Amino acid sequence: MTRSFKKPKLSVQDADHFANDMLERKPAIENLSLLLSNISSPIVLSVNAPWGAGKTTFLQMLHSDLKNKQCKSVYFSAWETDFANDPLLAFLGEMNTALQGYIVGDKNKNKAWNTAKKAGVHILKRAVPVILKVGTAGLLDTDKIIEDEASEFIESLSSDAIDEYTKSKMAIQSFKENIGRVLIDDEGKISNLYVFVDELDRCRPTYSIELLERIKHLLDIEGLVFILAMDKQQLAHSIRGVYGAEFDALGYLKRFIDIEYSLPQASLSNFIEGIYNSFGFDKIFAKRAHQELQYDSDHLKNTICFLAEANSISLRGVEQLFSKVNLVLLSTKANSYLYPALLAFLLVAKEYNPSIYDSYVRKGQGLKGMVDLLHSMIIDDLRYKSFVSALIEGLLIAAKAGELKDDFAKYKEYH
């Protein structure tokens, strides 16, 4: 039976949305869910965390928790929609699908939503820039146009622009009013609609900026609560790429975000245990019957935990590390020696310190650099008490025993 290289994608089911809560996020999600269900709208809340910290799973669980409380909630990935020319188009498309379950059978809400969509379409119809019209028509060629004709043409463009502005302003008003009507509950009050926007920081910078502006200006509507997942520092970096290195990107983001929520620190050991089991490693290591291999599974988990903490590896990075270990296991016989502590360390060294790794794998070279790299990951007082550190160091030296010759005794004594 074949095994997958990557960990199966985590599934969040509404019926039991905390079933795969490896990071123990349940208390934080329940607290934030309570806040959101009691908060006034319109409002924009950001969930901030670095890449690979589990924002997507957190948002999906929060989205399911609100739905289980009978709240209206929709979810879409901004990154999957940034092929659209205008984020409002993507928003309307996603909302059109999500709202069907909430407005089915209600003629008034269906009518209001259809009116809102029509108004949204008008907003999307941007007038072609004057400079493009003129350039395309070739009217800037002074050899082919007389001054009076140019003046008359520009005057007509100005009139059209004013009319278009008035129509757009009316369309925006109609758009907001009709979305408000869609959100009216059975008691005649506006109920909240929670809109989750994931992976904003992965989008094209211009798309991210436009989406934020649409949310704050066009979608600043009573009843709408936006929850945005982002790596704020990364998004700020992208914004500077558009507006310049000296631009106050963090200050710019504050214009659009009302409340910031930082994702709490996850339990690394629990996450590693969950990833280990999701790959099926528990079954693989159970087949390693030789007595001297019985501790391999613990060595692997403990070493990855040690390396992740020492190198501040993200949860996504830990998952990728397990995928690489999985590749090795797929090509290793059940009872072959694996030395998982050494394997994990070499994989991390290759990823984060490739020159030191390359030197080590060449014959007769690089041992000191690798041992120094290991020592740099843990302060001396802790290193002398760390079994994992001692195990990795011993394996690094032993792997070079045949090449060290006279130096082997020196390294052995030092170790």
Side-chain angles (χ1 to χ4, degrees):
M1 182 179 177
T2 59
R3 290 204 329 271
S4 174
F5 158 54
K6 294 184 178 180
K7 180 186 77 67
K9 189 174 181 180
L10 184 66
S11 176
V12 176
Q13 303 295 330
D14 290 342
D16 189 5
H17 50 291
F18 293 122
N20 297 313
D21 184 18
M22 293 185 292
L23 303 180
E24 298 182 336
R25 303 288 202 196
K26 182 178 179 180
I29 288 171
E30 289 180 334
N31 288 341
L32 192 53
S33 178
L34 180 62
L35 169 66
L36 290 171
S37 60
N38 289 318
I39 206 165
S40 60
S41 62
I43 201 163
V44 179
L45 178 143
S46 68
V47 176
N48 301 325
W51 176 88
K55 295 190 294 295
T56 293
T57 301
F58 185 88
L59 249 68
Q60 289 175 345
M61 289 181 175
L62 181 57
H63 168 58
S64 290
D65 197 69
L66 285 167
K67 286 201 294 183
N68 287 341
K69 292 178 177 176
Q70 307 307 311
C71 296
K72 293 191 286 289
S73 181
V74 299
Y75 179 100
F76 74 98
S77 169
W79 185 62
E80 292 178 3
T81 65
D82 83 343
F83 61 85
N85 291 326
D86 191 312
L88 183 60
L89 176 62
F91 174 80
L92 289 174
E94 296 295 328
M95 288 280 285
N96 191 51
T97 301
L99 282 177
Q100 297 308 313
Y102 296 126
I103 65 177
V104 63
D106 190 316
K107 291 183 179 179
N108 291 331
K109 289 186 178 181
N110 272 285
K111 182 179 179 181
W113 176 237
N114 286 329
T115 304
K117 284 191 292 183
K118 290 178 182 177
V121 169
H122 181 84
I123 297 168
L124 288 168
K125 288 181 179 178
R126 295 177 175 181
V128 179
V130 171
I131 191 169
L132 181 61
K133 282 187 175 180
V134 174
T136 303
L139 297 181
L140 288 182
D141 187 347
T142 55
D143 294 333
K144 297 180 180 179
I145 189 170
I146 61 175
E147 186 176 347
D148 290 344
E149 289 176 334
S151 177
E152 183 181 343
F153 179 71
I154 292 172
E155 183 179 345
S156 67
L157 285 179
S158 300
S159 177
D160 289 344
I162 293 171
D163 290 343
E164 186 63 31
Y165 168 79
T166 303
K167 291 177 183 177
S168 295
K169 189 174 181 180
M170 292 172 62
I172 291 171
Q173 185 65 28
S174 174
F175 178 74
K176 292 186 174 184
E177 288 175 355
N178 282 283
I179 286 185
R181 292 188 182 105
V182 172
L183 301 179
I184 294 175
D185 60 22
D186 295 337
E187 298 177 357
K189 298 178 181 178
I190 292 181
S191 60
N192 283 349
L193 173 65
Y194 301 92
V195 184
F196 288 83
V197 182
D198 196 10
E199 299 191 302
L200 187 62
D201 44 15
R202 292 183 67 186
C203 297
R204 292 177 284 114
T206 52
Y207 187 85
S208 300
I209 292 168
E210 287 183 25
L211 179 56
L212 286 171
E213 290 174 347
R214 292 297 198 189
I215 288 172
K216 199 62 179 178
H217 300 301
L218 284 179
L219 301 172
D220 188 29
I221 301 167
E222 185 180 357
L224 288 185
V225 177
F226 283 87
I227 301 96
L228 315 177
M230 65 174 70
D231 178 344
K232 190 170 72 171
Q233 295 299 327
Q234 179 59 41
L235 185 55
H237 179 73
S238 297
I239 291 170
R240 291 189 195 99
V242 175
Y243 289 114
E246 302 303 318
F247 185 74
D248 182 12
L250 292 176
Y252 175 80
L253 286 174
K254 287 181 179 179
R255 301 178 193 174
F256 303 102
I257 298 166
D258 300 302
I259 302 174
E260 293 186 22
Y261 178 82
S262 296
L263 212 56
Q265 188 71 32
S267 170
L268 186 58
S269 59
N270 286 352
F271 179 73
I272 286 174
E273 186 69 35
I275 293 290
Y276 177 89
N277 292 330
S278 68
F279 270 102
F281 286 172
D282 50 341
K283 298 176 182 177
I284 296 171
F285 281 98
K287 296 178 182 178
R288 300 174 69 78
H290 292 338
Q291 185 175 0
E292 59 267 38
L293 305 180
Q294 63 181 311
Y295 300 112
D296 276 8
S297 62
D298 288 337
H299 288 171
L300 177 64
K301 288 183 284 188
N302 292 339
T303 301
I304 289 180
C305 189
F306 165 81
L307 294 171
E309 290 177 343
N311 294 278
S312 300
I313 300 175
S314 70
L315 300 180
R316 186 74 57 82
V318 169
E319 186 177 311
Q320 292 173 342
L321 179 56
F322 268 104
S323 293
K324 293 172 184 176
V325 171
N326 189 36
L327 276 180
V328 177
L329 286 172
L330 287 169
S331 57
T332 303
K333 293 180 180 179
N335 282 318
S336 297
Y337 288 102
L338 184 65
Y339 307 110
L342 178 62
L343 169 63
F345 183 75
L346 290 175
L347 288 171
V348 170
K350 184 178 181 181
E351 177 72 21
Y352 298 99
N353 303 90
S355 61
I356 296 175
Y357 169 84
D358 289 341
S359 180
Y360 177 77
V361 297
R362 287 197 293 268
K363 187 174 181 179
Q365 298 184 43
L367 176 59
K368 184 178 185 303
M370 284 292 268
V371 172
D372 288 345
L373 175 62
L374 173 64
H375 289 181
S376 71
M377 295 180 182
I378 185 169
I379 61 176
D380 286 349
D381 289 348
L382 295 178
R383 179 160 54 84
Y384 296 133
K385 301 173 184 178
S386 171
F387 171 77
V388 172
S389 177
L391 177 63
I392 295 171
E393 184 174 316
L395 291 170
L396 284 171
I397 296 169
K400 287 286 190 178
E403 304 172 21
L404 288 171
K405 298 179 181 178
D406 296 340
D407 285 340
F408 179 67
K410 178 184 70 175
Y411 274 104
K412 182 180 177 183
E413 177 69 21
Y414 173 72
H415 173 62

